[in-house]
Tab-separated table of all heavy atoms in Angstrom:
chain	number	residue	atom	x	y	z
A	136	HIS	N	11.257	-2.447	2.225
A	136	HIS	CA	11.886	-3.419	3.123
A	136	HIS	C	11.239	-4.805	3.051
A	136	HIS	O	11.926	-5.819	3.031
A	136	HIS	CB	11.884	-2.910	4.569
A	136	HIS	CG	12.485	-3.840	5.534
A	136	HIS	ND1	13.820	-4.170	5.572
A	136	HIS	CD2	11.907	-4.592	6.550
A	136	HIS	CE1	14.063	-5.034	6.552
A	136	HIS	NE2	12.922	-5.296	7.134
A	137	MET	N	9.913	-4.829	2.991
A	137	MET	CA	9.229	-6.098	3.053
A	137	MET	C	9.320	-6.903	1.765
A	137	MET	O	8.968	-8.078	1.730
A	137	MET	CB	7.750	-5.873	3.445
A	137	MET	CG	7.558	-5.421	4.910
A	137	MET	SD	8.489	-6.374	6.129
A	137	MET	CE	7.848	-8.009	5.890
A	138	LYS	N	9.883	-6.299	0.698
A	138	LYS	CA	10.128	-7.117	-0.514
A	138	LYS	C	11.167	-8.218	-0.251
A	138	LYS	O	11.123	-9.266	-0.831
A	138	LYS	CB	10.564	-6.223	-1.662
A	138	LYS	CG	9.472	-5.343	-2.230
A	138	LYS	CD	9.967	-4.476	-3.349
A	138	LYS	CE	8.807	-3.587	-3.810
A	138	LYS	NZ	9.266	-2.611	-4.799
A	139	ALA	N	12.103	-7.917	0.681
A	139	ALA	CA	13.189	-8.843	0.981
A	139	ALA	C	13.044	-9.546	2.322
A	139	ALA	O	13.711	-10.512	2.599
A	139	ALA	CB	14.530	-8.130	0.909
A	140	ALA	N	12.176	-9.037	3.180
A	140	ALA	CA	12.050	-9.544	4.549
A	140	ALA	C	10.847	-10.464	4.700
A	140	ALA	O	10.053	-10.619	3.789
A	140	ALA	CB	11.936	-8.366	5.497
A	141	SER	N	10.760	-11.077	5.863
A	141	SER	CA	9.630	-11.966	6.159
A	141	SER	C	9.177	-11.749	7.586
A	141	SER	O	9.941	-11.260	8.464
A	141	SER	CB	10.083	-13.465	6.020
A	141	SER	OG	10.432	-13.725	4.690
A	142	ILE	N	7.960	-12.177	7.843
A	142	ILE	CA	7.363	-12.116	9.180
A	142	ILE	C	6.928	-13.546	9.492
A	142	ILE	O	6.379	-14.247	8.643
A	142	ILE	CB	6.159	-11.172	9.224
A	142	ILE	CG1	6.517	-9.748	8.839
A	142	ILE	CG2	5.432	-11.266	10.550
A	142	ILE	CD1	7.145	-8.930	9.908
A	143	ALA	N	7.110	-13.979	10.735
A	143	ALA	CA	6.514	-15.220	11.204
A	143	ALA	C	5.418	-14.878	12.194
A	143	ALA	O	5.639	-14.009	13.075
A	143	ALA	CB	7.574	-16.115	11.855
A	144	ALA	N	4.299	-15.521	12.097
A	144	ALA	CA	3.197	-15.331	13.039
A	144	ALA	C	3.097	-16.622	13.873
A	144	ALA	O	3.009	-17.729	13.333
A	144	ALA	CB	1.872	-15.119	12.305
A	145	ILE	N	3.137	-16.438	15.205
A	145	ILE	CA	2.982	-17.557	16.101
A	145	ILE	C	1.570	-17.497	16.670
A	145	ILE	O	1.201	-16.538	17.375
A	145	ILE	CB	3.996	-17.482	17.273
A	145	ILE	CG1	5.405	-17.441	16.717
A	145	ILE	CG2	3.778	-18.653	18.240
A	145	ILE	CD1	6.450	-17.057	17.764
A	146	THR	N	0.767	-18.489	16.359
A	146	THR	CA	-0.609	-18.593	16.898
A	146	THR	C	-0.468	-19.124	18.328
A	146	THR	O	0.073	-20.213	18.547
A	146	THR	CB	-1.512	-19.487	16.065
A	146	THR	OG1	-1.547	-18.930	14.745
A	146	THR	CG2	-2.880	-19.567	16.634
A	147	ILE	N	-0.973	-18.386	19.289
A	147	ILE	CA	-0.857	-18.762	20.706
A	147	ILE	C	-1.840	-19.891	21.013
A	147	ILE	O	-3.031	-19.689	20.898
A	147	ILE	CB	-1.115	-17.524	21.613
A	147	ILE	CG1	-0.099	-16.440	21.329
A	147	ILE	CG2	-1.119	-17.951	23.098
A	147	ILE	CD1	-0.374	-15.094	22.036
A	148	GLU	N	-1.289	-21.023	21.385
A	148	GLU	CA	-2.162	-22.164	21.784
A	148	GLU	C	-2.199	-22.300	23.291
A	148	GLU	O	-3.170	-22.810	23.834
A	148	GLU	CB	-1.592	-23.465	21.146
A	148	GLU	CG	-1.740	-23.462	19.602
A	148	GLU	CD	-1.220	-24.764	19.012
A	148	GLU	OE1	-0.737	-25.658	19.713
A	148	GLU	OE2	-1.339	-24.858	17.756
Side-chain angles (χ1 to χ4, degrees):
H136 178 67
M137 290 313 299
K138 288 180 182 174
S141 297
I142 300 280
I145 302 167
T146 301
I147 299 170
E148 295 181 357

